[in-house]
Amino acid sequence: MKATYILIAVFLLITITLISLNLMDNPVGPHGGVVKQAGMYNIELKNSYPNLYAFLLDNRQRPISNKGISCDGKLIFADSTSSIILFKPFWEDGFSMKLGSIRYYACRINFNVSGKVVSALFDNDNLIATKK
């Protein structure tokens, strides 16, 4: 009986640890990018050299059509300067911009949906991983 309690306790400890690790990590979106919540929407950003892709998702992480929506990105650099770049429509549900060799520190993605701005801030994971 004592072994059963120990086994249950170990199982619960492992389960709680795995759940907490999953909650702390940014979820992966339907296009393979990082997802951040932005009000009643979610925004997915995928940094795939040489392009940067942005997708507006509903609260169930399903892509929303890009018809009638505009998107821009404010690239923030390590020296605190910034540059705003317009994204072009990509397929029927996304936006893209040619990033090339631009090395940004963070990016604020802004979607204009029916006159309302929806935005989220993303760190450049590629830059953080290389510690530059």
Side-chain angles (χ1 to χ4, degrees), residues 6-82:
I6 292 173
L7 186 60
I8 291 172
V10 169
F11 176 75
L12 288 174
L13 182 63
I14 291 171
T15 303
I16 291 170
T17 303
L18 291 175
I19 290 172
S20 66
L21 287 175
N22 191 27
L23 292 176
M24 292 177 5
D25 194 21
N26 289 327
V28 176
H31 304 94
V34 175
V35 175
K36 297 260 180 127
Q37 189 171 6
M40 59 187 257
Y41 297 99
N42 290 301
I43 296 176
E44 179 182 4
L45 183 70
K46 182 174 183 179
N47 188 348
S48 179
Y49 181 81
N51 297 322
L52 195 60
Y53 300 97
F55 303 91
L56 186 63
L57 310 173
D58 65 13
N59 58 1
R60 293 184 180 167
Q61 293 196 15
R62 292 180 299 206
I64 295 174
S65 172
N66 57 15
K67 303 268 189 271
I69 298 175
S70 63
C71 179
D72 66 64
K74 180 178 182 181
L75 300 178
I76 303 164
F77 303 103
D79 63 356
S80 297
T81 59
S82 63

Side-chain angles (χ1 to χ4, degrees), residues 84-128:
I84 296 176
I85 299 178
L86 296 176
F87 281 62
K88 295 179 182 177
F90 176 74
W91 291 343
E92 55 277 335
D93 65 350
F95 293 87
S96 70
M97 59 110 22
K98 184 133 178 113
L99 191 59
S101 62
I102 297 174
R103 298 178 62 88
Y104 68 94
Y105 180 75
C107 180
R108 175 164 296 281
I109 299 295
N110 303 302
F111 284 98
N112 188 328
V113 183
S114 302
K116 294 184 180 182
V117 176
V118 179
S119 69
L121 182 66
F122 295 85
D123 291 326
N124 185 348
D125 293 334
N126 293 341
L127 201 58
I128 292 170

